[in-house]
Amino acid sequence: MLSADFLLTSFVVAVSPGTGVLYTLSAGLSQGRRASLIAALGCTLGIVPHILIVVTGLAAMLHTGTLAYQILKYLGIGYLLFMAWQMLRSDQNSMQFKEDMQVSTWRLACSGTLMNILNPKLVIFFLAFLPQFMSADEPSPMRHLILLGIAFMAITLIVFVGYGMTAASFRNLVQSRPHVMLWLQRCFAIAFVAMSLKLALF
């Protein structure tokens, strides 16, 4: 069973600003509702490997294996800095909605997924978070962990979609003012750099 405490805590965690929220907001503002949905889905799928690692008991090994953790950590830092660079080099035309949605959809989904896969903090988070909602006499702990993980992902997806749709509703207003769009691009880039620094200090 999913407790009210778990659902509420998961919602608070999902709503808290992070790389996934930032990425979904930028997709909604730059390319609209469909793009924000794809970005939200990609970010949510990026959680899957971390949950699987926790469920299979490999999270503790990753946490104690300094080299593996550091490699994943610096890959994540590099990718966040790459995203910041992409934001800064984008001009107004490159941020417009593309007709070729096949390429755009693939890139949006992959970027969102990679962003979360390369965040080692998620493994540590789930290792500390999920067991808190497990009872000592749970007959099938692995099944229950999987259920908790799926529920967390569903909540995350709903929250990210909400963020993306809200951002997309302001798209026309923002894109009709190039200076505002440029300012937002720079803000997103700075935010990605800040998150990479936060990850580096973790």
Side-chain angles (χ1 to χ4, degrees), residues 1-15 129-130 133 147-156 158-159:
M1 293 291 292
L2 299 174
S3 67
D5 287 345
F6 171 78
L7 296 175
L8 179 60
T9 307
S10 297
F11 176 76
V12 171
V13 170
V15 169
F129 178 70
L130 295 182
F133 303 95
L147 177 62
L148 292 174
I150 291 174
F152 183 88
M153 287 176 58
I155 293 170
T156 299
I158 292 170
V159 169

Side-chain angles (χ1 to χ4, degrees), residues 31-179:
Q31 298 191 41
R33 288 183 172 84
R34 182 175 178 181
S36 70
L37 288 172
I38 298 299
L41 181 60
C43 290
T44 305
L45 288 176
I47 299 174
V48 174
H50 299 289
I51 293 177
L52 290 178
I53 287 173
V54 171
V55 170
T56 55
L58 296 178
M61 185 183 300
L62 179 63
H63 187 44
T64 55
T66 305
L67 179 60
Y69 180 83
Q70 291 298 323
I71 290 174
L72 187 59
K73 174 180 174 178
Y74 286 110
L75 283 174
I77 292 170
Y79 194 74
L80 287 173
L81 291 175
F82 171 75
M83 293 297 295
W85 178 73
Q86 288 283 84
M87 286 284 179
L88 288 175
R89 71 187 290 268
S90 296
D91 56 23
Q92 181 65 17
N93 290 330
S94 69
M95 295 293 286
Q96 296 292 331
F97 182 76
K98 297 179 175 62
E99 292 297 328
D100 187 4
M101 279 304 298
Q102 193 169 17
V103 174
S104 180
T105 297
W106 175 253
R107 290 185 61 183
L108 280 168
C110 285
S111 294
T113 303
L114 276 174
M115 191 180 303
N116 274 343
I117 287 177
L118 295 175
N119 185 357
K121 290 197 298 182
L122 286 176
V123 177
I124 310 305
F125 166 75
F126 285 119
L127 180 62
F129 178 70
L130 295 182
Q132 294 183 43
F133 303 95
M134 297 278 294
S135 60
D137 57 348
E138 176 64 45
S140 181
M142 180 173 288
R143 183 183 302 174
H144 192 61
L145 278 173
I146 292 174
L147 177 62
L148 292 174
I150 291 174
F152 183 88
M153 287 176 58
I155 293 170
T156 299
L157 180 60
I158 292 170
V159 169
F160 282 9
V161 167
Y163 271 122
M165 289 298 180
T166 300
S169 66
F170 291 98
R171 181 178 178 238
N172 291 334
L173 178 64
V174 170
Q175 291 201 341
S176 65
R177 295 166 173 79
H179 65 285

